[in-house]
C-alpha cells in the first residue's frame, strides 16, 4: 500500500491531523518558552534577542515555512473532515445526547479551531507581519541593532480589548488542546492501555499550563507586572 | 416403511465406513450444483460456509437483517465435546452414552454416536476460526461440568458461547459471500418448497422489505430454521423464531418427528404480567448454589425475608433428597409447576418459586473467614465476604436479573419459573439428515434426530455445528452425485408458478379477512392452550380438549384476524400472521402426538403414566419408536413409526431420589 | 419492586420506506406498567394502533435479551436509551415516570438507510466483515484445539472485543456516524489471537477500505461510541486498529 492511498483513507486523513497537530504542539512549546521571557523583570532584552535569533537563523526560517505549511494543512484537512463527517448524517436527530456521552469540546473542534484561526489572523498581523516586513522600532544591545518586539507587545497590550481577546483566544486553545492532545495519540495508535493514563495527564497538564502562560503575557504587560528574575535567564 | 438408512456394522465404525464409501461429486460438477439453505444459525451458517468452500453454488436465506442475528446467538452455557482434555475419563462412548440416556432412550444410536465422534472436530474448527473460548493460565482450553454429567467436557466463552460460535460460523459464511460461492438473502422468509418430480427443487421466498415473492431454484434444499418453541407464545426463543419453513415442508410431504417433545427449562425469570412478550433464561448453573423454596402456607403474601425458616418448603430437597436442587431439568420444572398449581406460588402472578442465595452467601462468607483467618467477625462482615464470592461466580446473571425485575437478588431471593426453551421434535430425517422428500434436508434444532425426549445442557450447539460442518458436507454428496446431469431448472417451470401462486393466494386471503382481532392476540391464546394442556404435564382429557380449542381458534383466526398495511411493503404484522397460522396447525399436531404417546418420557410427561412417587414412567414395549407424522390435509395426519433399536445401550429407569 | 402504571407520551419517527420522507407522530400511551420492557410498551401501542385501523410502528427486535443486536432505537437522543451497557430490549419502564414525553428515532446515518419507521438497513456491517473480518480456515483444516496455546490475557482481551453484537449503536451515537468502534472490535478480536496473525495486514487494510466506501464518517475520538455501546467495547480497540492499519499500510511487509 502506498502513501497516496493511505492519505486518502479515513485513518490517513486523521493521521495528517494528528501529525500536524503534534507538530503545532511542539511549536507552541517553543513559542511559549521564548515568550515567557516577557514575564520576567529582565525579559525585554532576552526576549528581543531570542526574537532576533528566531527571525534571522536560517534553520528557523526554513522551519517557519514548514510551520505555515503544517498549519495550513491542519486547517484545510480539519475543515474537509468536518464537512465530510457532517455529510455522513443527512437526516439529523431531533434530540441530541449532548454531554451525556461526550464532552462538548471534543464535539466542537472545528468551532474551537475556527476561533483560534480568527485569533491567529489578528495575532499575526500584530506581531509577525511587522517583525518580518518592517514597522518595528529598533534597540541596540552591545552595538548591535535589534527589533524592539518587546515594545510592540507593550503597546499592543496596552489596549484592554486586545488583552481580553488574547485571554479568550487562550481559552479556545486550551479546550482545543484538551481534546486534541490525547486525540492525536489515539489516532497514531499510541494510546495503549498501559500509557493511556500518562498521555491523559500530560495532555491535560499541557492544555492548561501552556495556554495559561500565554494568557498571562498580555495580562502582565497590561498591568505592568513582572516576576523578579533574580538573575534567572530563560533563554540563551 | 420409514428407512433411516443407518449404515450396518458395529456402532463405532458406522460413520467411518459411511464416509469411506459415500459417493462423491467432483469439483467441476460441484460448481454446477446449486444448494438452497434456509436459516443461518449455527447449522445453516456452518453448512453454507462449508458447502461454499467445497465449491457448490449456495444461496442462503434468513429473515433477520443479518445472518449474525440468528437465535443460536443467545445460547449461554457451552458446547460439549469428548476431548477428554481434563483426563477425567471422558470419551466418545461416554458422550454418546450420556446423550442417549439423557434423551430417555428415544434417540437413534447411530446418529448420536456420530454426533459424539465429530464433537471433537467442532472444537478444533472453532478455535481455528478464532472463537475466543475460555482458557486457563497455561494458555490451554478451559472446561466446566454442565447439566449433571460426571465429566468436565463443556467448552465455553463466558456466558456467551452461542454468540461466539455463531460469529465464527457467520464470519466463515461472509468469507464465502465475498468469494462469490454463497449468495446471501437477508430479510427473506421461505414460504413454499417447490417440488418437481417428487424432489425438492427450490423455494418461494418473500422479500420482507418489498413484499415481493421470489422463486429460487436449487438441486437440494436445506432447512436450518431452528425449533418451534414459540408455539407456546412465551418462550426463551427470539420473537421471530418460527416453524414456517419446516411446516411448509411438512405440508409438502415431509414427516414431522416427535412434535410433542419439548424442553421446559426450570430457571427462567417469571412472567410479570399480560404484557409479557418473551421469557429470559437464567443459566442452570445457578442451581449449584441456590436453594429453591416456596412458603408452606398457600397464598402467603408476606415478603420472603419475613417468612421464618420453619414456614418454608424446600420442596426439591424434600422430594429428592439424593439430588436435591440438582435434579435434571424436566424434574425440577415439573416440581415447580406442581407447587404453583397447588397454590403455593410467590410473586404478584403467584407463578414463581424462590431461588435463594442467602445460604450460599453465608456459607461462602464463613469459608472466607476461615480461609483468611479472620477469627470472630460479625454477621455483616460474613455477609459482605459471601456476597463478594457470589458476585465473582454469578455476577453477570445477578445483574441481568436486576435489570429485568428491578430487584436486588443479593438482598431478596430471585423469583424463577420454568419456561419453554428447546424443541427436541422436528422434521424427520434419516442418517444422512435428509427428510423423506428426496433433496430436502433438515439440520440442527429443525430436525428431530439426536436428543430423544430430552436434551442435555450444552448439546444443542454441538448438534447444530456437527450437522453443518461435518455431517451434511459428506451426506449431501451421496444425493447430488445423481444430480450432476440435472441442469438448473428454469423458475418459469409450472411447479414454481404454482408454488408462488399458492403463497400469494394465502397472503391475499390473510389481507382480505379484515377482521377485528390482532395476530398477537391469537398467538397469546394459542400459547395459553398449549402451555396449559400440552406443557410440562399432559393428560388425555386435556389434550383432547386442547385439540378442540385449537381447531376452534384456527377457524376464528381465518375469519377474524386483522392485518394492517399492504402486501407490497415491509409489513411485520403480515409476516407474523403467516407464522402464527402455521403455529396453530402445528399446535394441533403436538397435542395429537402427545395424546398418541401413552407413556411419560423425558420432557413428555403424561399424568396417567407415572410411578407411584410421581416420576416419569416409560413404556418401552409400546413406545420405543419415533413418531413420524405425515400430513394428509386439514387436521388430518397419518402416523408412521420408526422403531428405535438399541444394540449397545440398555434402557433403564432414571431415579433421582 | 412496587408495581404501578403511568401515562406517557411518545413522539415516534414514522417513515414508510427508504425513499419516503419521514416525520414525527405523537401518541399518548396510557396505563404502562413499570414492569414492562421498553419494547413491550411498543407492543401495547401497536396493538392499539392496529385495533384503531392504523399502521403499527415497525421496529427491529428479536431475542429481547440483549444479545442478537437487532433492536435499535434512539431514545431521547441516546442509542439504546439511558441505561449503561444495555440494549433497548433490556431497558425497562421503571426508568420513566408518569407524564414523561419520550422521543424515539431510528439510528441515523447515511450508511444505515431507514427501511421503515425505526428499522434501518445495517448490511454495510456485513460487507465490512466480508472485506476481511474472518480467519481463512476451511472446514476440516484445523489442528487440535490445544495445539495453539493462547496467553490468557490475550484470550480475554480478544473475547472482550468479540463481545460486539453488531447493533450499530456506535455509529448512531457518533456525531460523525463513524463505524470505527465496530471495526476495531473485529480487528482486535482477530489480531489478538495467533490464528488471526497471518492475515492481519490485509484484513485491516481491506476492512478500512470497505468502511470508507460505505459512507461512514471518520473517527474524531469523542468516545460517544464507547459510552453508548451496550457491550461496553473499549475505544482502546480503536487505537489498536489505527496502529494495525498504519503498520500494515506503511510497513514494508518484508
Amino acid at each position: 500500500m502506498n502513501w497516496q492511498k493511505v492519505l486518502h483513507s479515513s485513518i490517513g486523513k486523521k493521521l495528517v491531523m494528528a501529525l500536524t497537530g503534534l507538530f503545532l504542539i511542539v511549536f507552541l512549546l517553543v513559542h511559549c518558552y521564548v515568550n515567557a521571557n516577557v514575564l520576567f523583570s529582565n525579559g525585554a532584552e532576552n526576549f528581543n534577542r531570542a526574537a532576533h535569533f528566531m527571525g534571522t537563523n536560517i534553520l528557523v526560517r526554513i522551519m517557519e515555512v514548514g510551520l505555515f505549511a503544517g498549519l495550513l494543512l491542519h486547517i484545510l484537512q480539519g475543515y474537509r473532515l468536518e464537512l465530510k463527517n457532517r455529510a455522513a448524517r443527512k437526516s439529523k436527530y431531533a434530540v441530541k445526547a449532548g454531554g451525556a456521552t461526550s464532552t462538548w469540546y471534543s464535539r466542537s473542534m472545528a468551532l474551537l479551531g475556527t476561533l483560534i484561526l480568527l485569533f491567529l489572523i489578528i495575532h499575526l498581523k500584530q506581531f509577525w507581519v511587522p517583525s518580518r516586513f518592517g514597522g518595528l522600532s529598533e534597540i541596540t544591545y552591545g552595538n548591535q541593532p535589534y527589533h524592539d518586539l518587546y515594545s510592540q507587545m507593550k503597546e499592543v497590550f496596552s489596549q484592554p480589548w486586545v488583552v481580553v481577546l488574547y485571554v479568550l483566544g487562550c481559552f479556545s486553545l486550551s479546550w482545543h488542546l484538551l481534546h486534541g492532545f490525547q486525540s492525536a495519540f489515539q489516532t497514531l495508535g499510541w494510546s495503549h492501555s498501559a500509557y493511556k493514563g500518562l498521555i491523559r495527564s500530560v495532555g491535560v497538564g499541557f492544555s492548561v499550563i501552556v495556554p495559561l502562560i500565554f494568557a498571562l503575557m498580555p495580562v502582565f504587560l497590561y498591568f505592568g507586572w513582572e516576576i523578579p528574575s533574580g538573575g534567572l535567564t530563560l533563554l540563551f | 416403511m420409514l428407512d433411516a438408512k443407518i449404515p450396518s456394522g458395529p456402532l463405532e465404525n458406522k460413520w467411518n465406513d459411511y464416509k469411506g464409501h459415500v459417493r462423491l461429486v467432483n469439483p467441476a460438477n460441484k460448481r454446477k450444483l446449486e444448494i438452497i439453505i434456509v436459516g443461518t444459525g449455527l447449522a445453516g451458517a456452518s453448512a453454507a460456509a462449508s458447502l461454499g468452500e467445497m465449491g457448490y453454488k449456495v444461496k442462503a436465506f434468513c429473515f433477520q437483517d443479518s445472518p449474525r442475528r440468528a437465535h443460536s446467538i443467545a445460547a449461554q452455557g457451552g458446547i460439549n465435546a469428548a476431548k477428554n482434555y481434563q483426563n477425567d475419563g471422558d470419551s466418545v462412548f461416554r458422550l454418546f452414552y450420556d446423550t442417549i440416556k439423557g434423551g430417555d432412550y428415544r434417540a437413534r444410536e447411530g446418529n448420536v454416536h456420530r454426533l459424539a465422534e465429530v464433537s471433537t472436530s467442532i472444537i478444533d474448527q472453532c478455535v481455528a476460526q478464532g472463537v475466543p473460548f475460555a482458557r486457563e493460565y497455561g494458555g490451554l482450553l478451559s472446561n466446566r461440568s454442565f447439566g449433571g454429567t460426571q465429566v468436565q467436557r463443556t467448552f465455553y466463552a463466558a456466558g456467551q458461547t452461542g454468540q461466539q460460535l455463531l460469529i465464527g460460523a457467520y464470519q466463515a459464511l461472509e468469507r464465502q459471500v465475498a468469494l462469490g460461492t454463497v449468495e446471501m438473502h437477508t430479510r427473506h422468509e421461505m414460504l413454499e418448497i417447490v417440488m418437481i418430480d417428487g424432489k425438492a427443487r427450490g423455494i418461494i421466498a418473500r422479500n420482507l422489505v418489498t413484499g415481493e415473492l421470489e422463486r429460487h431454484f436449487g438441486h437440494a434444499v436445506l432447512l436450518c430454521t431452528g425449533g418451534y418453541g414459540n408455539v407456546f407464545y412465551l418462550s426463551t426463543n427470539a420473537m421471530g423464531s418460527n416453524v414456517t419453513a419446516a411446516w411448509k415442508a411438512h405440508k409438502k410431504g415431509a414427516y414431522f418427528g416427535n412434535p410433542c417433545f419439548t424442553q421446559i427449562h426450570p430457571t427462567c425469570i417469571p412472567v410479570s404480567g399480560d404484557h409479557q412478550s418473551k421469557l429470559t433464561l437464567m443459566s442452570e448453573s445457578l442451581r449449584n448454589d441456590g436453594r429453591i423454596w416456596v412458603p408452606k402456607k398457600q397464598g402467603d403474601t408476606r415478603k420472603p425475608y419475613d417468612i421464618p425458616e420453619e414456614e418454608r418448603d424446600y420442596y426439591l430437597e424434600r422430594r429428592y433428597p439424593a439430588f436435591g436442587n440438582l435434579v435434571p431439568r424436566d424434574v425440577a420444572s415439573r416440581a415447580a409447576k406442581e407447587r404453583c398449581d397447588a397454590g403455593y406460588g410467590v410473586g404478584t402472578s403467584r407463578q414463581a418459586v424462590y431461588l435463594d442465595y442467602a445460604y450460599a452467601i453465608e456459607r461462602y462468607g464463613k469459608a472466607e473467614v476461615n480461609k483468611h483467618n479472620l477469627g470472630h467477625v460479625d454477621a455483616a462482615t460474613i455477609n459482605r465476604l459471601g456476597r463478594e464470592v457470589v458476585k465473582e461466580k454469578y455476577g453477570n446473571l445477578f445483574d441481568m436479573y436486576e435489570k429485568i425485575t428491578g430487584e436486588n437478588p443479593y438482598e431478596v431471593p430471585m423469583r424463577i419459573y420454568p419456561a419453554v426453551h428447546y424443541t427436541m421434535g422436528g422434521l424427520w430425517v434419516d442418517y444422512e439428515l435428509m427428510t423423506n422428500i428426496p433433496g430436502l434436508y433438515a439440520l440442527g434444532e429443525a430436525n428431530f434426530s439426536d436428543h430423544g425426549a430430552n436434551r442435555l445442557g450444552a448439546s444443542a450447539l454441538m448438534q447444530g455445528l456437527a450437522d453443518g460442518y461435518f455431517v451434511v458436507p459428506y451426506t449431501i454428496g451421496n444425493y447430488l452425485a445423481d444430480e450432476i446431469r440435472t441442469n438448473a431448472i428454469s423458475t418459469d417451470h409450472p411447479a414454481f408458478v404454482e408454488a408462488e401462486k399458492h403463497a400469494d393466494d394465502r397472503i391475499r386471503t390473510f389481507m382480505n379477512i379484515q377482521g377485528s382481532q390482532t395476530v398477537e392476540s391469537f398467538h397469546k391464546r394459542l400459547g395459553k392452550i398449549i402451555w396449559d394442556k400440552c406443557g410440562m404435564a399432559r393428560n388425555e382429557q386435556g389434550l383432547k380438549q386442547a385439540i378442540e380449542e385449537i381447531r376452534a381458534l384456527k377457524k376464528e383466526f381465518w375469519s377474524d384476524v386483522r392485518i394492517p398495511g399492504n402486501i407490497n411493503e415491509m409489513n411485520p404484522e403480515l409476516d407474523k400472521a403467516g407464522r402464527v397460522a402455521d403455529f396453530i396447525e402445528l399446535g394441533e399436531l403436538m397435542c395429537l402426538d402427545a395424546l398418541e404417546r401413552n407413556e411419560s418420557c423425558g420432557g413428555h410427561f403424561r399424568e396417567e403414566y407415572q410411578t407411584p412417587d410421581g416420576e416419569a414412567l416409560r413404556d418401552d414395549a409400546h413406545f420405543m419408536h419415533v413418531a413420524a407424522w405425515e400430513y394428509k390435509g386439514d387436521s388430518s395426519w397419518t402416523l408412521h413409526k420408526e422403531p428405535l433399536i438399541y444394540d449397545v445401550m440398555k434402557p433403564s429407569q432414571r431415579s433421582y431420589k | 419492586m412496587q408495581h404501578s402504571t403511568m401515562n406517557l407520551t411518545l413522539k415516534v419517527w414514522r417513515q414508510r420506506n427508504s425513499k419516503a420522507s419521514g416525520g414525527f407522530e405523537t401518541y399518548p400511551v396510557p396505563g404502562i406498567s413499570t414492569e414492562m420492557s421498553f419494547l413491550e410498551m411498543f407492543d401495547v401501542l401497536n396493538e392499539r394502533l392496529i385495533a384503531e385501523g392504523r399502521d403499527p410502528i415497525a421496529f427491529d427486535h428479536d431475542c429481547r435479551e440483549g444479545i442478537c443486536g437487532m433492536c435499535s432505537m434512539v431514545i431521547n437522543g441516546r442509542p439504546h436509551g439511558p441505561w449503561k451497557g444495555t440494549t433497548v430490549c433490556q431497558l425497562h419502564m421503571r426508568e420513566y415516570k408518569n407524564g414523561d414525553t419520550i422521543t424515539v428515532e431510528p439510528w441515523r446515518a447515511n450508511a444505515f438507510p431507514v427501511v421503515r419507521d425505526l428499522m434501518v438497513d445495517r448490511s454495510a456491517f456485513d460487507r465490512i466483515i466480508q472485506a476481511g473480518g474472518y480467519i481463512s480456515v476451511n472446514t476440516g483444516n484445523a489442528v487440535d484445539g490445544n495445539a495453539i496455546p493462547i496467553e490468557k490475557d490475550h484470550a480475554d482481551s480478544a473475547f472482550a472485543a468479540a463481545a460486539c453484537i453488531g447493533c450499530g449503536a456506535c455509529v448512531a451515537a457518533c456525531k460523525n456516524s463513524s463505524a470505527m468502534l465496530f471495526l476495531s472490535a473485529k480487528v482486535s478480536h482477530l489480531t489478538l489471537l495467533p490464528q488471526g496473525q497471518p492475515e492481519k495486514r490485509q484484513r485491516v487494510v481491506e476492512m478500512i477500505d470497505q468502511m470508507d466506501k460505505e459512507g461512514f464518517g471518520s473517527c474524531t475520538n469523542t468516545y460517544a461510541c464507547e459510552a453508548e455501546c451496550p457491550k461496553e467495547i473499549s475505544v482502546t480497540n480503536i487505537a489498536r486498529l489505527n496502529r494495525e492499519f498504519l503498520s500494515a499500510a506503511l510497513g514494508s511487509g518484508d
Side-chain angles (χ1 to χ4, degrees):
Chain A
M1 199 165 175
N2 57 35
W3 272 101
Q4 209 182 359
K5 203 172 168 202
V6 172
L7 293 178
H8 278 101
S9 72
S10 58
I11 295 184
K13 287 176 187 149
K14 289 289 300 165
L15 178 70
V16 171
M17 292 305 286
L19 290 176
T20 52
L22 286 179
F23 181 52
L24 294 172
I25 281 172
V26 173
F27 161 74
L28 277 180
L29 202 60
V30 174
H31 188 31
C32 180
Y33 183 68
V34 170
N35 286 35
N37 277 298
V38 306
L39 298 175
F40 292 88
S41 51
N42 63 351
E45 185 180 343
N46 280 333
F47 175 67
N48 280 338
R49 280 176 182 274
H52 178 78
F53 172 79
M54 300 302 275
T56 50
N57 183 287
I58 184 73
L59 269 177
V60 177
R61 294 304 297 270
I62 292 168
M63 290 281 281
E64 190 180 73
V65 176
L67 176 67
F68 274 100
L71 182 66
L72 205 63
L73 204 54
H74 194 78
I75 294 165
L76 292 178
Q77 186 78 299
Y79 282 127
R80 270 178 63 190
L81 274 170
E82 177 72 10
L83 290 176
K84 179 179 172 285
N85 288 340
R86 278 172 185 258
R89 177 172 291 138
K90 292 210 177 77
S91 171
K92 307 287 179 200
Y93 288 114
V95 182
K96 292 193 166 58
T101 56
S102 57
T103 57
W104 71 269
Y105 51 87
S106 73
R107 299 191 306 272
S108 315
M109 290 299 275
L111 174 69
L112 291 168
T114 305
L115 291 177
I116 295 169
L117 177 61
L118 292 176
F119 165 79
L120 261 185
I121 293 168
I122 297 169
H123 177 60
L124 287 175
K125 187 172 171 299
Q126 284 169 336
F127 295 106
W128 183 78
V129 172
S131 74
R132 289 290 178 277
F133 302 102
L136 294 177
S137 57
E138 289 202 345
I139 189 165
T140 314
Y141 300 121
N143 292 331
Q144 214 191 319
Y146 288 85
H147 279 156
D148 194 359
L149 198 55
Y150 182 81
S151 298
Q152 173 76 359
M153 280 179 86
K154 273 292 249 197
E155 193 189 317
V156 169
F157 295 140
S158 63
Q159 310 160 75
W161 73 268
V162 179
V163 175
V164 171
L165 182 84
Y166 269 66
V167 170
L168 289 177
C170 289
F171 270 105
S172 300
L173 179 65
S174 176
W175 277 312
H176 198 77
L177 285 170
L178 211 49
H179 176 68
F181 190 96
Q182 58 81 30
S183 182
F185 284 87
Q186 172 82 356
T187 299
L188 288 165
W190 296 341
S191 186
H192 186 273
S193 52
Y195 327 120
K196 212 170 168 178
L198 181 70
I199 291 168
R200 196 146 290 213
S201 336
V202 172
V204 171
F206 187 93
S207 313
V208 172
I209 293 166
V210 170
L212 181 70
I213 295 173
F214 276 126
L216 287 178
M217 296 170 196
V219 173
F220 267 48
L221 289 168
Y222 179 77
F223 289 108
W225 297 342
E226 52 188 29
I227 301 167
S229 65
L232 177 80
T233 303
L234 267 182
L235 197 76
F236 312 120
Chain B
M1 183 61 191
L2 275 177
D3 180 9
K5 295 192 223 157
I6 297 172
S8 55
L11 184 62
E12 60 277 15
N13 294 344
K14 285 180 195 290
W15 180 233
N16 265 333
D17 282 354
Y18 175 91
K19 285 194 291 183
H21 298 100
V22 71
R23 285 176 302 167
L24 301 172
V25 179
N26 88 36
N29 285 329
K30 282 194 185 111
R31 284 195 284 275
K32 289 187 277 183
L33 293 169
E34 301 181 33
I35 299 173
I36 285 176
I37 298 180
V38 185
T40 56
L42 286 181
S46 58
S50 304
L51 295 171
E53 287 160 8
M54 291 165 78
Y56 292 110
K57 281 168 77 174
V58 178
K59 277 185 179 180
F61 297 80
C62 70
F63 72 80
Q64 299 93 341
D65 73 332
S66 164
R68 68 178 295 151
R69 310 214 192 277
H71 197 56
S72 306
I73 205 160
Q76 297 172 356
I79 176 166
N80 287 331
K83 279 286 194 185
N84 193 28
Y85 283 158
Q86 306 307 322
N87 195 30
D88 57 0
D90 199 10
S91 65
V92 166
F93 183 81
R94 208 176 276 280
L95 175 53
F96 154 78
Y97 178 93
D98 288 347
T99 307
I100 289 279
K101 186 181 169 200
D104 218 357
Y105 305 94
R106 292 295 175 264
R108 278 189 204 134
E109 282 192 338
N111 284 52
V112 175
H113 199 273
R114 175 180 65 191
L115 176 67
E117 283 173 63
V118 303
S119 67
T120 55
S121 306
I122 297 172
I123 300 304
D124 300 339
Q125 182 64 29
C126 293
V127 168
Q129 286 172 344
V131 170
F133 283 121
R135 284 176 186 269
E136 305 291 351
Y137 280 100
L140 301 178
L141 292 160
S142 176
N143 289 116
R144 61 183 172 198
S145 57
F146 208 83
T149 55
Q150 289 165 301
V151 293
Q152 294 194 323
R153 65 160 73 99
T154 304
F155 294 79
Y156 62 100
Q160 306 165 10
T161 318
Q163 182 198 10
Q164 295 309 327
L165 295 175
L166 182 62
I167 296 299
Y170 156 75
Q171 288 170 186
L173 165 65
E174 293 296 355
R175 174 171 161 249
Q176 294 307 308
V177 173
L179 292 170
T181 61
V182 177
E183 196 182 293
M184 187 66 224
H185 299 263
T186 60
R187 292 202 199 264
H188 274 64
E189 183 150 66
M190 191 208 98
L191 293 184
E192 277 299 332
I193 296 279
V194 178
M195 305 268 296
I196 296 173
D197 300 330
K199 291 176 175 174
R201 288 298 191 197
I203 63 167
I204 302 297
R206 182 162 179 268
N207 178 332
L208 300 180
V209 177
T210 62
E212 283 166 276
L213 292 176
E214 299 171 1
R215 304 171 192 177
H216 295 276
F217 165 79
H219 288 88
V221 177
L222 274 55
L223 301 184
C224 313
T225 49
Y228 49 88
N230 271 347
V231 67
F232 290 87
Y233 183 71
L234 287 180
S235 81
T236 64
N237 284 7
M239 303 300 287
S241 300
N242 66 79
V243 77
T244 289
W247 197 250
K248 301 302 184 197
H250 176 56
K251 290 178 87 168
K252 276 278 160 77
Y255 297 171
F256 212 102
N258 298 333
C260 80
F261 286 172
T262 50
Q263 181 166 73
I264 317 283
H265 195 289
T267 53
C268 298
I269 299 176
V271 176
S272 67
D274 290 337
H275 52 78
Q276 189 96 20
S277 59
K278 83 148 264 162
L279 297 169
T280 302
L281 181 78
M282 299 280 287
S283 172
E284 197 174 0
S285 62
L286 286 172
R287 284 197 285 144
N288 288 332
D289 279 317
R291 291 181 75 191
I292 294 174
W293 62 275
V294 291
K296 279 185 179 165
K297 200 173 87 188
Q298 281 177 329
D300 197 332
T301 52
R302 285 177 291 176
K303 297 274 178 230
Y305 37 78
D306 291 334
I307 300 176
E309 187 59 32
E310 61 276 12
E311 292 179 41
R312 300 177 177 190
D313 176 15
Y314 296 90
Y315 59 89
L316 285 176
E317 297 167 31
R318 171 171 57 79
R319 284 180 66 181
Y320 306 100
F323 277 71
N325 294 298
L326 288 172
V327 290
R329 288 177 179 179
D330 50 348
V331 179
S333 294
R334 276 198 290 277
K337 176 180 158 58
E338 187 275 329
R339 282 292 85 187
C340 293
D341 288 352
Y344 298 94
V346 300
T348 42
S349 64
R350 323 307 298 168
Q351 289 290 306
V353 299
Y354 288 127
L355 174 61
D356 199 338
Y357 262 71
Y359 293 88
I361 289 172
E362 195 185 332
R363 183 162 48 84
Y364 282 125
K366 283 180 177 161
E368 286 296 291
V369 170
N370 285 338
K371 201 158 88 185
H372 301 296
N373 282 321
L374 299 179
H376 193 75
V377 294
D378 59 3
T381 308
I382 293 174
N383 188 280
R384 182 177 54 77
L385 293 169
R387 280 183 192 207
E388 280 166 17
V389 177
V390 169
K391 195 178 173 67
E392 171 98 23
K393 292 177 82 146
Y394 306 106
N396 58 338
L397 295 168
F398 277 43
D399 289 348
M400 183 171 81
Y401 181 85
E402 187 168 3
K403 258 180 207 167
I404 292 174
T405 62
E407 290 175 354
N408 180 351
Y410 295 99
E411 308 272 349
V412 187
M414 284 179 268
R415 287 172 294 112
I416 54 159
Y417 198 68
V420 177
H421 178 55
Y422 188 86
T423 53
M424 283 74 70
L427 290 175
W428 182 90
V429 291
D430 60 20
Y431 188 73
E432 297 182 310
L433 303 183
M434 185 152 78
T435 66
N436 56 304
I437 296 177
L440 181 67
Y441 292 76
L443 280 63
E445 193 181 348
N447 73 30
F448 87 103
S449 73
D450 293 355
H451 306 297
N454 177 54
R455 179 177 64 75
L456 286 182
S459 283
L461 303 183
M462 172 173 65
Q463 187 221 339
L465 290 179
D467 289 359
Y469 282 134
F470 297 108
V471 178
V472 96
Y474 289 92
T475 62
I476 202 166
N478 205 30
Y479 173 77
L480 291 177
D482 283 335
E483 298 293 329
I484 53 174
R485 279 172 208 87
T486 310
N487 291 324
I489 297 170
S490 159
T491 53
D492 293 331
H493 187 285
F496 276 97
V497 177
E498 194 202 335
E500 185 187 301
K501 184 173 183 310
H502 192 252
D504 191 49
D505 286 349
R506 186 172 146 103
I507 289 171
R508 286 180 198 287
T509 310
F510 281 140
M511 297 304 292
N512 289 335
I513 297 170
Q514 292 298 328
S516 63
Q517 301 179 60
T518 62
V519 176
E520 199 77 359
S521 66
F522 281 105
H523 196 180
K524 277 188 186 179
R525 284 165 63 193
L526 171 71
K528 186 156 171 38
I529 297 169
I530 310 266
W531 177 247
D532 286 346
K533 303 193 169 81
C534 193
M536 277 185 279
R538 300 123 184 222
N539 61 54
E540 184 181 342
Q541 192 202 347
L543 289 166
K544 284 181 171 161
Q545 214 179 325
I547 290 172
E548 290 310 312
E549 288 175 29
I550 293 168
R551 286 181 180 166
L553 187 75
K554 183 161 86 177
K555 225 169 133 187
E556 200 179 325
F557 178 90
W558 283 97
S559 58
D560 196 32
V561 73
R562 165 181 288 196
I563 298 156
N566 302 313
I567 293 174
N568 290 318
E569 62 179 359
M570 166 61 84
N571 188 344
E573 285 298 310
L574 177 57
D575 311 339
K576 207 156 65 179
R579 295 170 191 166
V580 171
D582 293 334
F583 275 135
I584 292 175
E585 295 180 19
L586 165 76
E588 185 178 342
L589 178 61
M590 278 174 69
C591 293
L592 184 63
D593 185 44
L595 186 62
E596 181 72 22
R597 192 171 278 278
N598 287 314
E599 65 160 350
S600 295
C601 60
H604 170 65
F605 188 78
R606 279 283 299 271
E607 288 166 347
E608 304 95 315
Y609 307 99
Q610 47 182 311
T611 61
D613 41 8
E615 304 306 327
L617 184 63
R618 276 203 328 267
D619 179 357
D620 290 345
H622 298 98
F623 292 97
M624 199 177 269
H625 62 243
V626 177
W629 296 88
E630 181 184 3
Y631 183 77
K632 286 290 193 189
D634 199 27
S635 290
S636 167
W637 284 274
T638 302
L639 174 62
H640 301 266
K641 293 176 184 172
E642 180 207 332
L644 290 166
I645 296 146
Y646 289 97
D647 293 326
V648 175
M649 294 289 287
K650 301 274 172 288
S652 62
Q653 174 77 40
R654 300 186 300 169
S655 170
Y656 304 99
K657 299 282 173 188
Chain C
M1 186 73 199
Q2 200 54 48
H3 164 99
S4 63
T5 62
M6 56 193 156
N7 303 324
L8 302 165
T9 305
L10 278 187
K11 280 178 69 182
V12 183
W13 182 262
R14 303 302 306 264
Q15 184 174 338
R16 194 117 201 137
N17 55 49
S18 58
K19 292 178 189 75
S21 61
F24 284 98
E25 279 189 35
T26 304
Y27 305 93
V29 274
I32 294 301
S33 158
T34 47
E35 290 189 65
M36 284 182 190
S37 73
F38 199 82
L39 295 185
E40 283 165 353
M41 173 185 65
F42 267 79
D43 294 341
V44 169
L45 173 59
N46 275 347
E47 286 293 282
R48 205 190 71 212
L49 291 176
I50 297 166
E52 290 169 1
R54 299 157 75 186
D55 278 336
I57 300 156
F59 61 96
D60 267 324
H61 63 112
D62 201 24
C63 79
R64 295 208 180 185
E65 50 186 283
I67 195 75
C68 76
M70 196 117 171
C71 60
S72 45
M73 295 178 179
V74 174
I75 300 166
N76 287 340
R78 307 283 305 274
H80 289 305
W83 290 5
K84 196 164 170 50
T86 309
T87 56
V88 183
C89 63
Q90 293 174 302
L91 175 64
H92 276 64
M93 294 311 294
R94 57 178 179 277
E95 165 70 17
Y96 299 95
K97 56 182 193 302
N98 193 29
D100 279 356
T101 296
I102 308 169
T103 304
V104 185
E105 306 174 64
W107 281 181
R108 293 191 196 274
N110 300 355
F112 288 167
V114 169
V115 172
R116 180 163 195 177
D117 298 341
L118 302 171
M119 283 178 167
V120 297
D121 176 358
R122 287 169 285 195
S123 53
F125 272 11
D126 288 338
R127 289 188 292 274
I128 290 174
I129 297 296
Q130 283 160 24
Y134 47 74
I135 289 169
S136 297
V137 51
N138 283 1
T139 305
N141 273 350
V143 296
D144 186 86
N146 263 350
I148 317 163
I150 302 173
E151 197 182 321
K152 192 173 184 319
D153 284 351
H154 283 183
D156 289 348
S157 304
F159 173 77
C164 168
I165 56 174
C167 64
C170 45
V171 175
C174 176
K175 79 175 184 71
N176 309 325
S177 310
S178 166
M180 286 284 275
L181 190 66
F182 167 77
L183 208 137
S184 72
K186 188 45 61 195
V187 166
S188 292
H189 161 207
L190 298 176
T191 305
L192 282 164
L193 297 171
Q195 303 93 301
Q197 289 293 313
E199 292 169 284
K200 70 173 195 165
R201 300 164 62 88
Q202 193 190 350
R203 174 186 307 125
V204 67
V205 169
E206 297 290 326
M207 286 178 79
I208 288 285
D209 194 34
Q210 186 62 36
M211 178 183 80
D212 289 348
K213 282 182 192 149
E214 297 288 351
F216 294 101
S218 58
C219 176
T220 54
N221 305 325
T222 70
Y223 309 143
C225 52
E226 181 185 72
E228 295 290 26
C229 175
K231 297 296 151 187
E232 300 180 295
I233 306 283
S234 165
V235 293
T236 330
N237 292 307
I238 297 183
R240 184 181 292 107
L241 168 64
N242 290 332
R243 194 157 67 229
E244 291 294 331
F245 176 78
L246 294 174
S247 79
L250 303 174
S252 69
D254 295 333

